[in-house]
Amino acid sequence: MTEPHDVDDVIGPDDDDDDGDRDDVVELDDEDGDEYDLLDDDPYADYDGYGDEDDPADEDDEREVDTAELDAAEAAGGISVAGDGAEDIAPSSMAPDLSAYTVDISTGEVTDVPAVATPVQADLAAQLSGSMPLLLLAKSAQKAGHLPEVAQVATRVTGGAVGVGVVLRLPSHTAAAAAAFLARFGSSPVRLADPDLYRAPSHGSPDKAIGVRTVKWHPWLANAPAPSSSTDTAWVGTVLQKQIDAGATVMLSATGWVGATNGAIELGHARRWVAASRAAARPSTPMFVNLTMDRAWLTDSNLRSLLLQELVESNERLWYLRFRWPVTNPRYGQLRDAAVLDGYKLLAVTAALEGKVLVLPNSGLTGWVATALGATGFSTGMSWGEQAYADPRIVSARKGEPPPPPTLRLFERSLLHTVDHASHVALMAQQDYLLCRCRYCQALGAHTQSPARWDRETAGLHYLLRVARLTAMLNGPARRTEATREVLRAQQFLKATATTAAAPTGNNAPAHLSEWYRLLL
Amino acid sequence: MQAVFHAEAASFLGRGAFGETWRVVDSAGTSTAVKIILDEGYPQALLTREVGGLQRAQDPRVVALLDVREVELAIGARQALVFEFVAGGDVAGRLAAGAGPSWDEAAQFLRELLGAVNALHAVDTVHRDIKPENVALRGSSWSAPVLLDLGLAKLLNVESMTQYPALMGTLPYMAPEQVQQESGRKAADVWAVGVVSYILLSGRHPFLGGRSTAVLGEELLDRMRAGAPPLPAGVPGDAAAVVHRLLSFDAFERGSAGRAYRDLGGT
Ligand SMILES: Nc1ncnc2c1ncn2[C@@H]1O[C@H](COP(=O)(O)OP(=O)(O)O)[C@@H](O)[C@H]1O
Ligand SMILES: [Zn+2]
């Protein structure tokens, strides 16, 4: 099935992205080369011999200076915003077109920016109360040095309306590196150290096997007991303690993969381990029920009813549920599988009715839509692997040919979607285009026609700030209305481009918008 | 201890699936309801564990279990559960006497019964046999229901089932999943509250229409799937909406007792 002629059969400029039905097809990349499995999207890439860093959290250390400066300025009672970018506007002027400042579009120069101090985030109890949205910045394996800064800026630009927390994958770090990283998020009350137990060999998730270094450094993961075995108090205690050692402020239960084959039985096993985790957790430390589930738990009506009944009946209030998506195209795009989205909707609505706090890790802007529908929050990150937990695309390069360089995509606030540079430039000329004025876009030169300063990491930081702003729209009783309005706005912008050369096509087209609109209505 | 069971101090309350219940007045004049487990040699440790939820619930709407002890009877030693005595009669008695509540009283009854079930569920205890006979009315007030007999359904063993077949399976109050032989979880209690309340609000069973012996199996499930007929127009709207939700076929759609309790203004 890796024959080149098969591959040729599926390539073509118009051959784009149906969801879910092609993971059995070996594909060469489609037209823009964006579909390659990039190493930095693998959560453990740096860890299992692909990367050259022993300690991912230590990379980009020089970036800490930036955060330190911010901290110092904050301590002094206010942040000097000279050159700090237009995101530092007063919370009251967060709406896109209400600004007390001036931006020169041709140069990107910003003037008249009011000085704003970083608001103090709401305390942990408030962020876990379900009364405000929660955005968890998920540390990717590489290029995470700027994340503390993003947390600060996101807190400022959202005026404290969003809980901005952080989550890292415990098995990708040494204990010391994990602790050092989380320690940099002192002003984020919600800090998670995800044990990623679904990846344990005994859990049978579809993920690829954990690497040798993970086995060596994290024997508790490698030797995790099978969910079907009787609960092991000592092991559960270890899993919780590892999180505490890393500086986590909220525990994740010692549970992992819940498959669909024997769904009811597997859920029953998970329930036992959650109870064991509850018994082992310190009463003072909150804990999420932590499950990573086959998507059939969202799409199959029997399994979904079981899951929803579990949510309704359990006395546990905090739920951290990750679902494995089908292959999702394009990477850095949005999930469009209607059945999965409908399942998310029912889950989110039920959680809200029951006063449960539902957090959807690694769900990107699908998590944002779910939050508009009743979830409390979600996690996303700079890399695709943190934005989506999905079946991988099987990609093969033709023999002897190096893979084409990945296309860099930028998240467009106008479209709620990522596009390539050519599309970005074309869109910018459109009426009602919303230019992002964040510091990262300025660094990218995003307002210019030139791709010279485009860079993947900076684009990822801009994405996170945009997500924070979108999430801030969901603080309030009318969150569903606010999200619907935002999606409608993007649809109208898209519609207006339809007859122009700027009309986004292929992977640049935000095909998810109509699905989102249907869901939100 | 022995004095407690002097015949002149005790009056017979009823006979259930597990044994007999007696009202006992002690020398200080305090009444207790003593339930004697007829099953010979029932291990006390097991009994204590099974009824543990009762002691943990700690809510005036859940009957207080005062003691678990062994008593000497003419037939030999038996385990006994000593409960607070709730004076005022039970819902079944009131219905039999044709003395049902007004709609407003029924709505208050619904809210407080949900409060009771919520308190029980909060300590992860499931009643599994909520029915008019198991709901007392403190001081004969419809707004002060007290849940009796909780957790005891679990105590039923094969022996007691064969001994008292007629008393088994309170079919009219069973949730669809119980009718389908699945064990009842919290959602089954929520369903039963719906059935009892529906009867109080409308004077009829939501699915059996007075011919309970004639409707069986698939037909009953079909009726449950189709949903309960509308309640009379004068029933307070929020109570009617909650009762219909509690009678949802799909367990999760019933929502928790706590949610329904809060929907009706409970805190
Ligand atoms: N704690 C109590 N206080 C007052 N009355 C009670 C108490 N417990 C039981 N009863 C009354 O005794 C009757 C018989 O109780 P029980 O033996 O438990 O039978 P059943 O199992 O049919 O409910 C009940 O219907 C109820 O009216
Ligand atoms: Zn930007």
Side-chain angles (χ1 to χ4, degrees):
Chain A
M1 81 191 261
T2 54
E3 293 304 307
H5 67 266
D6 286 338
V7 168
D8 283 331
D9 287 342
V10 297
I11 322 175
D14 298 317
D15 176 38
D16 74 71
D17 48 51
D18 305 290
D19 264 322
D21 55 359
R22 286 166 57 183
D23 44 347
D24 56 341
V25 177
V26 174
E27 303 183 59
L28 188 62
D29 196 21
D30 64 6
E31 76 275 15
D32 65 5
D34 190 45
E35 313 304 333
Y36 269 83
D37 259 309
L38 297 164
L39 296 179
D40 66 343
D41 287 337
D42 180 339
Y44 294 171
D46 61 315
Y47 189 67
D48 292 328
Y50 296 105
D52 44 16
E53 298 275 357
D54 267 1
D55 187 351
D58 285 347
E59 68 196 18
D60 297 325
D61 256 355
E62 75 281 7
R63 314 264 194 211
E64 288 193 48
V65 174
D66 200 351
T67 313
E69 279 171 1
L70 284 171
D71 290 346
E74 191 188 9
I79 287 186
S80 161
V81 292
D84 197 25
E87 71 266 12
D88 286 328
I89 55 174
S92 57
S93 49
M94 261 174 36
D97 297 315
L98 285 178
S99 44
Y101 53 86
T102 315
V103 182
D104 182 338
I105 299 252
S106 61
T107 63
E109 199 190 324
V110 182
T111 49
D112 308 325
V113 181
V116 182
T118 302
V120 176
Q121 285 201 32
D123 65 19
L124 185 61
Q127 296 202 11
L128 296 179
S129 70
S131 62
M132 67 186 297
L134 178 63
L135 167 63
L136 298 177
L137 304 175
K139 178 190 180 294
S140 39
Q142 297 169 352
K143 309 288 186 197
H146 268 300
L147 224 48
E149 172 194 294
V150 171
Q152 290 271 4
V153 178
T155 302
R156 273 208 302 285
V157 300
T158 58
V162 175
V164 181
V166 61
V167 54
L168 58 68
R169 295 176 184 271
L170 215 38
S172 323
H173 303 79
T174 61
F181 187 77
L182 288 188
R184 295 168 66 189
F185 292 82
S187 40
S188 290
V190 179
R191 302 190 288 275
L192 301 182
D194 194 329
D196 272 6
L197 286 174
Y198 63 97
R199 300 199 57 150
S202 58
H203 276 235
S205 83
D207 294 277
K208 72 175 190 200
I210 55 173
V212 281
R213 249 195 308 187
T214 310
V215 171
K216 196 177 97 202
W217 287 358
H218 302 291
W220 53 269
L221 177 65
N223 305 327
S228 59
S229 61
S230 57
T231 53
D232 175 341
T233 310
W235 179 82
V236 167
T238 301
V239 172
L240 298 181
Q241 191 57 46
K242 295 288 174 193
Q243 299 175 52
I244 290 171
D245 292 347
T249 56
V250 188
M251 299 292 99
L252 297 174
S253 66
T255 37
W257 180 251
V258 186
T261 321
N262 293 307
I265 291 166
E266 293 193 43
L267 188 62
H269 290 320
R271 191 186 304 129
R272 284 189 299 114
W273 288 92
V274 168
S277 303
R278 173 56 66 205
R282 301 178 193 172
S284 56
T285 311
M287 184 190 86
F288 278 101
V289 174
N290 164 34
L291 306 177
T292 298
M293 312 185 88
D294 190 295
R295 65 180 158 276
W297 284 100
L298 289 177
T299 58
D300 176 277
S301 67
N302 288 328
L303 289 177
R304 190 175 56 218
S305 289
L306 271 184
L307 173 61
L308 295 175
Q309 190 183 354
E310 194 68 31
L311 186 76
V312 167
E313 296 204 352
S314 169
N315 287 329
E316 295 290 341
R317 199 173 59 83
L318 308 178
W319 295 72
Y320 182 85
L321 302 181
R322 182 191 280 111
F323 296 91
R324 191 172 178 91
W325 295 356
V327 175
T328 301
N329 297 324
R331 292 159 65 91
Y332 298 94
Q334 323 301 335
L335 175 74
R336 295 198 310 280
D337 185 300
V340 175
L341 290 171
D342 285 340
Y344 272 120
K345 177 174 178 173
L346 210 47
L347 181 66
V349 167
T350 305
L353 286 172
E354 292 291 339
K356 303 284 172 150
V357 168
L358 172 66
V359 171
L360 301 166
N362 307 122
S363 63
L365 286 179
T366 302
W368 176 76
V369 175
T371 301
L373 291 166
T376 292
F378 58 101
S379 85
T380 189
M382 291 160 62
S383 70
W384 177 235
E386 301 303 332
Q387 295 174 18
Y389 174 61
D391 289 340
R393 286 189 70 164
I394 298 167
V395 176
S396 78
R398 270 177 272 209
K399 269 208 177 72
E401 279 183 28
T407 300
L408 208 156
R409 303 175 72 86
L410 187 70
F411 180 78
E412 288 289 355
R413 63 189 285 206
S414 297
L415 287 179
L416 303 178
H417 189 56
T418 53
V419 302
D420 61 24
H421 186 262
S423 184
H424 168 68
V425 169
L427 289 168
M428 256 197 302
Q430 290 292 302
Q431 209 185 345
D432 295 331
Y433 177 79
L434 295 171
L435 180 72
C436 179
R437 302 163 174 126
C438 81
R439 62 171 69 185
Y440 305 112
C441 281
Q442 290 178 45
L444 290 169
H447 57 288
T448 71
Q449 311 264 317
S450 160
R453 278 147 62 199
W454 273 48
D455 132 88
R456 184 183 183 81
E457 175 187 8
T458 312
L461 296 167
H462 146 81
Y463 159 79
L464 289 178
L465 268 193
R466 290 297 355 153
V467 172
R469 284 187 184 270
L470 286 167
T471 307
M473 292 178 180
L474 308 182
N475 185 339
R479 52 181 160 167
R480 191 157 166 177
T481 315
E482 291 301 321
T484 311
R485 206 198 310 274
E486 178 65 8
V487 171
L488 254 182
R489 188 201 49 66
Q491 279 185 309
Q492 273 153 9
F493 178 84
L494 176 67
K495 209 167 148 199
T497 68
T499 53
T500 73
T505 57
N507 286 344
N508 294 323
H512 60 287
L513 289 176
S514 51
E515 272 307 319
W516 281 8
Y517 187 67
R518 178 184 68 80
L519 221 56
L520 286 163
L521 263 191
Chain B
M1 177 63 230
Q2 288 296 318
V4 166
F5 293 96
H6 273 194
E8 60 269 20
S11 53
F12 183 70
L13 286 171
R15 175 170 205 142
F18 314 97
E20 293 174 351
T21 304
W22 292 75
R23 176 181 179 175
V24 174
V25 187
D26 71 10
S27 49
T30 308
S31 289
T32 50
V34 177
K35 175 164 260 188
I36 297 156
I37 310 295
L38 288 180
D39 192 355
E40 210 174 333
Y42 201 96
Q44 181 163 7
L46 187 58
L47 192 59
T48 307
R49 202 185 69 207
E50 298 290 2
V51 297
L54 261 164
Q55 277 160 316
R56 282 180 288 134
Q58 297 284 6
D59 189 288
R61 294 163 295 193
V62 175
V63 69
L65 176 66
L66 305 174
D67 201 5
V68 179
R69 61 169 86 137
E70 197 177 80
V71 294
E72 279 303 328
L73 304 173
I75 52 167
R78 292 290 186 276
Q79 296 296 331
L81 304 169
V82 182
F83 296 96
E84 63 165 322
F85 178 78
V86 183
D90 62 28
V91 172
R94 295 287 280 275
L95 285 176
S102 70
W103 285 334
D104 281 342
E105 284 172 330
Q108 287 176 35
F109 169 88
L110 167 63
R111 186 188 64 224
E112 295 310 313
L113 186 56
L114 286 165
V117 174
N118 182 40
L120 200 58
H121 288 182
V123 293
D124 274 326
T125 300
V126 183
H127 191 294
R128 290 197 179 82
D129 196 19
I130 295 175
K131 56 184 175 181
E133 291 81 356
N134 283 337
V135 183
L137 297 172
R138 204 184 289 277
S140 301
S141 166
W142 286 104
S143 60
V146 180
L147 211 42
L148 305 175
D149 259 11
L150 48 156
L152 295 187
K154 259 188 158 177
L155 301 182
L156 286 174
N157 56 23
V158 177
E159 206 182 326
S160 57
M161 284 191 203
T162 45
Q163 208 171 340
Y164 304 103
L167 299 172
M168 271 312 299
T170 318
L171 186 72
Y173 304 95
M174 278 188 185
E177 59 271 20
Q178 290 172 300
V179 172
Q180 292 170 95
Q181 313 293 318
E182 285 170 36
S183 73
R185 296 176 54 191
K186 289 178 182 175
D189 284 350
V190 171
W191 170 278
V193 171
V195 176
V196 173
S197 300
Y198 188 98
I199 292 172
L200 295 181
L201 287 164
S202 70
R204 58 184 296 269
H205 190 280
F207 307 106
L208 296 175
R211 297 179 293 119
S212 60
T213 47
V215 179
L216 279 173
E218 276 311 311
E219 190 190 345
L220 176 58
L221 284 171
D222 285 345
R223 290 185 185 194
M224 289 170 159
R225 226 175 258 116
L231 284 161
V235 171
D238 52 351
V242 164
V243 168
H244 276 285
R245 186 174 79 222
L246 303 185
L247 296 175
S248 301
F249 191 88
D250 211 341
F252 84 86
E253 287 183 346
R254 295 169 211 157
S256 63
R259 172 185 162 201
Y261 180 57
R262 288 186 294 273
D263 284 353
L264 294 174
T267 48

